[in-house]
Amino acid sequence: MTGVRTMFTLGLSTVLTMTAAGLFAGTSPQHGDEATQRAVAVLVPTKGSKVVGVVTFVKEGAGVRVQGKITGLTPGKHGFHIHEFGDQRSADGKSAGGHFNPSKEKHGGPSGPMRHVGDLGNIEANADGMATIDLMDPMLGFSGERSILGRGLVVHEKADDLTTQPTGDAGGRLAVGIIGIAQPPPAPEK
């Protein structure tokens, strides 16, 4: 079963990476496409973790709405960040690199005056270990320097304190996803 799960995870990661890299969609992760309106990350657990989830990113006005559900968490707050690489190859999630920070700012909270583009703050899991996410972020984009396409999405073991440099002291990585271009929603039936 572990071998099948590993093959599925690697296969899914490859498809998501190729999609994010634009090999299926004709765009590159750093430059994107002005037409890109939706992205998705499927979170897979790191070694010893049971954390999984799906998070969507939808262009809305001057920002991106981030929504999703993540399960398998301990109750309480967990750091939630976009990391520089969409790379799930290491068992501990460290191949995703550091926080996505193209403008070389200091770490901070999502509404702070200074922050990494990837600083999304914390998610909070309920008593059943599930976190529901619904936030709007004006710093995220699908094209240009702030493009999140092809980047990693990471859930951490501890709360982000929003001040400790450079990571918020959020601890190890429980799950990593790759942010890829999502299939458009189906057209309404006529």
Side-chain angles (χ1 to χ4, degrees), residues 8-170:
F8 172 76
T9 300
L10 290 174
L12 179 62
S13 295
T14 300
V15 169
L16 288 173
T17 301
M18 291 176 75
T19 301
L23 297 177
F24 294 141
T27 62
S28 70
Q30 282 73 26
H31 303 291
D33 178 327
E34 292 301 322
T36 301
Q37 297 292 309
R38 301 167 54 85
V40 63
V42 177
L43 292 161
V44 296
T46 56
K47 186 175 183 177
S49 173
K50 295 184 191 290
V51 175
V52 295
V54 176
V55 178
T56 60
F57 302 83
V58 178
K59 180 84 172 127
E60 285 187 14
V64 172
R65 179 161 304 279
V66 181
Q67 295 179 307
K69 287 194 188 321
I70 300 171
T71 60
L73 295 160
T74 56
K77 292 184 178 183
H78 297 270
F80 185 60
H81 307 115
I82 296 171
H83 283 243
E84 57 193 330
F85 305 118
D87 187 340
Q88 296 171 311
R89 291 180 291 174
S90 64
D92 60 5
K94 290 186 178 177
S95 58
H99 294 183
F100 178 45
N101 186 18
S103 53
K104 309 298 182 221
E105 296 288 344
K106 290 189 179 225
H107 176 69
S111 59
M114 245 186 316
R115 62 171 266 208
H116 303 151
V117 171
D119 289 342
L120 300 180
N122 290 297
I123 56 173
E124 188 161 1
N126 64 19
D128 295 325
M130 183 176 75
T132 302
I133 302 148
D134 187 2
L135 62 93
M136 184 71 183
D137 195 307
M139 291 192 71
L140 305 181
F142 296 140
S143 63
E145 180 182 63
R146 294 182 177 177
S147 176
I148 61 173
L149 298 176
R151 307 289 177 191
L153 183 66
V154 175
V155 178
H156 291 270
E157 67 176 321
K158 300 187 314 186
D160 183 335
D161 66 16
L162 309 179
T163 57
T164 301
Q165 300 301 319
T167 64
D169 194 29

